Amino acid sequence: MTIKKNIVLEKEGNKPILVDFFYNSSNNKMPVIIFCHGYKGYKDWGAWNLVAKEFANNNFFFLKFNFSHNGGTVENPIDFPDLNAFGNNNFTHELNDIERVLSFISENTEFSKNIDLTNIFLIGHSRGGGICAIKASESKQIKGLITWAGVSNFKIRFNEGSKEFQKWKDNGVKYVENKRTKQQMPHFFQFYLDFKKNEERFNIKLAVESLKIPFLVIHGENDHSVLPFEGNDLNSWAKNSEFFSVKNGNHTFSSKHPWKEKELPNELKTVTEATISFIKNCV
């Protein structure tokens, strides 16, 4: 297996994107899997590396990356040394980041003998699921979409009209504690302004309703972060979808950070196997 980690994608005027590639070295052209992490997430969180190896072992070219404004840096991609970048993240940046990754994969000759550009699939976890749904609705390059504990509505998360929202607007920033690192992570009000400016584009329901490609919705029965009704909503809006409910599945399917085991937790293994099976049926 070939593993290439922390490849830096540079673009003038933009923050760098760190990318990992996992694939079996052969001359066969493999379907491309692009994995997008969620809110306060990163490509090396928990058991994501084990997930990547599982896909590679099943003859997929698996790519995962850090969103450019996720708070990590080239030197430290796991923690959040760049809180200013985190605070300036927004949905526009994340959609642009996926486009940069798609362009890199399409134009990079190093992988041309390994990848099948007619079979590109997006997997998004949590907020990344909503972002992937929007990108899949916009890009003709995407062959299929899979959401893992994906969100169905960005707007409701702003809690418009509440005292907390008004305080955020007045102060221009609000803070959320990272339970692992104990950092106070800023969210600048630009995040909401970017949403309002692009509200129709960022409507996940409209995006999913417009999809013609196969869509697999996976959600844990015990997800308390993104409630299961959001997965049911995604499935109900789509024309060509399957719903896979994970018994005992929480928001991260029993994975946590750091993940020191050599095997996937049972629930995440189930999710990975269901996703692999779904994609093989699409190819």
Side-chain angles (χ1 to χ4, degrees), residues 14 29 42 56 118 172 209 272 276:
N14 292 262
K29 287 183 175 288
Y42 42 95
T118 66
E209 286 176 339
T272 302
I276 289 170

Side-chain angles (χ1 to χ4, degrees), residues 235-251:
N235 182 50
S236 71
W237 298 331
K239 298 181 181 71
N240 183 15
S241 63
E242 299 176 26
F243 185 77
F244 187 90
S245 182
V246 183
K247 189 176 182 181
N248 300 321
N250 63 9
H251 188 56

Side-chain angles (χ1 to χ4, degrees), residues 69 85-97 127 131 134 138 154-155 158 160 165 168-169 172 187-203:
H69 286 70
F86 181 89
N88 279 302
N89 195 16
N90 56 46
F91 300 137
T92 297
H93 287 318
E94 294 190 351
L95 287 165
N96 288 344
D97 289 347
R127 185 167 107 183
I131 291 293
I134 295 167
E138 296 179 344
F154 287 143
K155 183 180 176 70
F158 290 108
E160 294 166 308
F165 178 84
W168 183 28
K169 182 179 180 181
H187 298 66
F188 300 124
F189 197 66
Q190 64 78 30
F191 183 54
Y192 174 76
L193 296 177
D194 175 70
F195 171 79
K196 288 301 289 184
K197 183 180 177 181
N198 303 281
E199 189 166 352
E200 186 172 349
R201 183 190 186 196
F202 298 158
N203 186 314

Side-chain angles (χ1 to χ4, degrees), residues 33 39 45 49 88-89 169 187 215 217 231 239 251 260:
I33 314 299
Y39 171 63
W45 185 89
N49 284 316
N88 279 302
N89 195 16
K169 182 179 180 181
H187 298 66
F215 179 17
V217 181
K239 298 181 181 71
H251 188 56
K260 297 180 179 178

